[in-house]
Amino acid sequence: MASWNSVPLNVTYEFLGWFAFVSWSVSFYPQVILNFRRKSVVGLNFDFVLLNLTKHSSYLIYNAFLYFSSAIQKQYFDKYGYEEMIPVAANDVAFSIHAVLLTAITLFQIAIYERGSQKVSKISVGIVSVAWLTAAVCFFVALSNHSWLWLLSIFNSIQVVMTIVKYIPQAIMNFVRKSTDGFSIGNILLDFSGGIANYGQMVVQSIDQNSWINFYGNIGKVLLSLVSVFFDIIFIIQHYVLYRGQKSSKAVNTTEHEDQIREHLVRPSDQLPQENV
């Protein structure tokens, strides 16, 4: 197994990795806190959360088994060479565990808080069902010849697909509502920082090893960073440029309707004719 050639690059690698861990981990809390304060999940797309749970669960399986299993690590070295480094770090495993937990908490909030007419779409349920069915079939295929590295690549591919797909419902929802009200921008800013640091970590490792094999040896981590940054930029533009300070039209209409009802209830008492004395 390869070792680090440069101590400063090793330190930089660890710093970027744990910075990404902190940024990505903390990024879950603004939305959870916002939901708790509002006692409402209106504005948060439920498809985004459901797809996110599948994405992080798949990523946890990939990271944990590649990091802890010596048998799978041997298959990795047999494929890419023993002079290469395992492309999964401790911060990747820690982040995945935390992400699954916080996404599950967000789903619980969806179940107990006011959600209006929002619901999970049949398309998202279908995508998640196909993803896990594919994983189950591939597990039994891998079981026959112990091709565990191949099976992990399937889970890695699932998390890449989920990463690409999960952002789309929220971006469309913001566009339709012409508002990001109810969707935490703090989540996006931290996610953006984590994506940059995660990609930088892989660059540092490649520079030290004078090899770019870790990029296609863990293509899922590369695409995770790039896709996250791409959609984060879209959300940032929606929040700060396109729909800056705008409430959703539904929320505005609801407020106006409440005002009309309140005015109607008050007006009769104000306009009662004076009794003759």
Side-chain angles (χ1 to χ4, degrees):
M1 179 178 175
S3 59
W4 285 91
N5 298 314
S6 168
V7 174
L9 287 177
N10 187 7
V11 172
T12 303
Y13 174 86
E14 293 294 338
F15 171 78
L16 289 173
W18 288 107
F19 178 82
F21 165 75
V22 172
S23 297
W24 273 345
S25 296
V26 175
S27 71
F28 288 91
Y29 289 93
Q31 187 67 59
V32 171
I33 294 172
L34 180 64
N35 296 341
F36 175 77
R37 287 177 175 175
R38 298 167 68 226
K39 296 297 186 291
S40 170
V41 289
V42 175
L44 173 64
N45 190 277
F46 300 168
D47 293 346
F48 172 83
V49 180
L50 179 63
L51 295 169
N52 212 19
L53 182 62
T54 300
K55 171 254 185 304
H56 288 304
S57 299
S58 302
Y59 197 43
L60 172 59
I61 292 171
Y62 174 84
N63 286 331
F65 279 93
L66 187 53
Y67 187 79
F68 290 111
S69 173
S70 57
I72 296 177
Q73 289 178 359
K74 182 179 182 303
Q75 292 183 11
Y76 182 89
F77 292 137
D78 289 340
K79 181 175 181 179
Y80 296 107
Y82 280 83
E83 71 280 1
E84 299 299 329
M85 300 179 70
I86 295 296
V88 174
N91 64 272
D92 296 319
V93 180
F95 163 71
S96 297
I97 295 172
H98 183 270
V100 170
L101 176 62
L102 265 293
T103 306
I105 290 175
T106 307
L107 272 178
F108 177 71
Q109 289 182 319
I110 289 175
I112 64 173
Y113 289 153
E114 193 268 324
R115 54 184 179 271
S117 60
Q118 293 178 213
K119 59 182 179 180
V120 177
S121 71
K122 294 180 180 179
I123 295 177
S124 293
V125 173
I127 292 174
V128 169
S129 300
V130 169
W132 287 113
L133 180 61
T134 300
V137 171
C138 290
F139 170 78
F140 288 105
V141 172
L143 189 62
S144 60
N145 54 5
H146 300 283
S147 52
W148 303 122
L149 184 64
W150 170 80
L151 178 61
L152 286 190
S153 71
I154 297 300
F155 280 103
N156 207 9
S157 298
I158 290 175
Q159 77 91 6
V160 170
V161 173
M162 293 297 110
T163 300
I164 295 173
V165 172
K166 73 171 187 174
Y167 291 106
I168 296 176
Q170 185 69 58
I172 294 176
M173 184 177 180
N174 294 344
F175 172 77
V176 171
R177 298 168 73 233
K178 296 295 185 290
S179 171
T180 57
D181 183 41
F183 181 60
S184 173
I185 192 61
N187 171 16
I188 298 305
L189 296 176
L190 289 165
D191 189 56
F192 180 80
S193 300
I196 295 295
N198 195 52
Y199 187 80
Q201 186 186 35
M202 301 192 73
V203 171
V204 168
Q205 180 178 335
S206 296
I207 292 174
D208 180 83
Q209 299 294 301
N210 195 28
S211 169
W212 298 90
I213 286 181
N214 68 306
F215 271 83
Y216 53 85
N218 190 357
I219 189 66
K221 186 174 180 177
V222 178
L223 293 178
L224 166 63
S225 300
L226 296 180
V227 172
S228 297
V229 168
F230 173 77
F231 277 99
D232 288 339
I233 291 174
I234 291 178
F235 290 130
I236 290 171
I237 292 174
Q238 286 182 325
H239 184 82
Y240 289 109
V241 180
L242 299 179
Y243 315 130
R244 183 185 179 99
Q246 294 187 26
K247 298 289 185 179
S248 69
S249 58
K250 183 177 180 179
V252 173
N253 291 337
T254 301
T255 302
E256 292 177 350
H257 182 62
E258 291 175 350
D259 290 342
Q260 290 174 358
I261 294 176
R262 195 176 297 111
E263 182 182 354
H264 178 73
L265 292 174
V266 173
R267 183 181 298 134
S269 61
D270 293 341
Q271 295 181 349
L272 284 174
Q274 294 183 353
E275 296 182 0
N276 294 327
V277 178

